[in-house]
Amino acid sequence: SRVDDNAKQFVDARLRKLPPNTTEEQAKAFVPAQAMLTCYHSTNVDYVMGKYRNLLSAEGLERLANIPCIAVQGGEDAICPPDSALDLVQAWPEVELRIPLGAGH
């Protein structure tokens, strides 16, 4: 699933950025907790979006269609991978997307 893919990308990105002296035990203790938090916030739309939950519904997009928007998405963002911005552009084609390749969250 998409959440599983995002969690795997997050874990892989975190593993690449660990300090060189990090033990395997430390990495295993740290990374899964971060991945679980990311998955929780990504899948609990009510918690994240609240009253804006339907913003990207067909009705919500009609309201947004004429609003200029530039979305900036970090190319190395492990919390919200760049494909989430591509999903936004697909739903809201008027968005101008900028992806700084070396940027994170």
Side-chain angles (χ1 to χ4, degrees), residues 42-69:
S42 297
T43 59
N44 286 277
V45 175
D46 286 334
Y47 175 79
V48 177
M49 295 297 287
K51 67 181 181 178
Y52 302 105
R53 174 182 194 154
N54 296 318
L55 192 60
L56 296 180
S57 67
E59 181 182 295
L61 287 170
E62 285 179 23
R63 292 175 45 211
L64 295 174
N66 296 315
I67 299 173
C69 177

Side-chain angles (χ1 to χ4, degrees), residues 3 12 15 22 29 32 41 47 56 59-60 69 77 86 91 94 97 102-103:
V3 172
D12 290 347
L15 286 172
T22 302
H41 292 294
Y47 175 79
L56 296 180
E59 181 182 295
C69 177
D77 187 337
L86 298 175
E94 295 83 7
L97 179 60

Side-chain angles (χ1 to χ4, degrees), residues 71-77 80-85 97-101 103-105:
V72 179
Q73 173 72 45
E76 293 185 21
D77 187 337
C80 301
D83 65 334
S84 62
L97 179 60
R98 308 269 174 92
I99 300 179
L101 297 179
H105 191 71

